[in-house]
Amino acid sequence: MSVTGLPPYDPQNIFARILRGEIPCKRVHEDAFALAFHDINPLTPTHVLVIPKGAHVSAADFHANASAEDIAGFWRAVAQVAKSLGLEASGYRLLTNMGLDAGQEVPHFHVHVFGGKRLGRMVSAG
Ligand code: 5GP
């Protein structure tokens, strides 16, 4: 286990393979810091994932170990993606799952961008 509660970065994880172009994605944005693409199983009318270019397993790993430039560039990309998707006026939700209790499935840090409808309460306890 790493200090962030997850195994070390696995370069064969599905998002690493998407980053390398080995697996296709419906891309909405790419720059030096981030790649954004539609979630394969959308939970809301707009559901996009934004991932950093660097090899980071989780939010904890990313914010502890990425450079300040990479962190700033990543979050700027997240905001640009939401804007380019037309979500600024109606609003949107950003979410990241970190580790076991949050049910993180893919061990490459990612932020979900949800929008396109009223999203209701933030967290399900079930
Ligand atoms: P997590 O539970 O780790 O926060 O979310 C992982 C997300 O990745 C899920 O919403 C899932 O639908 C999405 N996902 C998993 N595999 C793929 C894939 O191969 N392509 C795309 N576009 N999304 C994926």
Side-chain angles (χ1 to χ4, degrees):
M1 288 288 170
S2 70
V3 289
T4 63
L6 290 165
Y9 189 79
D10 172 10
Q12 293 308 319
N13 80 76
I14 197 94
F15 291 172
R17 299 188 67 198
I18 286 175
L19 267 178
R20 292 196 297 268
E22 296 169 6
I23 292 176
C25 69
K26 286 172 64 182
R27 184 170 58 178
V28 298
H29 175 90
E30 183 165 16
D31 61 28
F33 302 102
L35 172 69
F37 53 92
H38 290 278
D39 196 292
I40 202 165
N41 182 24
L43 300 176
T44 49
T46 300
H47 183 178
V48 163
L49 302 168
V50 190
I51 69 176
K53 291 279 176 88
H56 301 286
V57 292
S58 66
D61 178 22
F62 180 67
H63 294 100
N65 297 311
S67 69
E69 184 188 16
D70 284 352
I71 293 170
F74 173 77
W75 286 105
R76 191 166 287 121
V78 171
Q80 284 172 351
V81 165
K83 185 175 184 178
S84 71
L85 291 166
L87 297 177
E88 268 194 358
S90 52
Y92 58 89
R93 178 169 297 152
L94 304 179
L95 179 145
T96 186
N97 290 313
M98 156 61 214
L100 196 60
D101 277 358
Q104 182 180 351
E105 286 176 22
V106 180
H108 181 114
F109 173 51
H110 52 281
V111 169
H112 298 254
V113 181
F114 294 113
K117 69 168 195 171
R118 294 295 170 98
L119 294 169
R121 291 178 63 83
M122 291 208 327
V123 174
S124 163

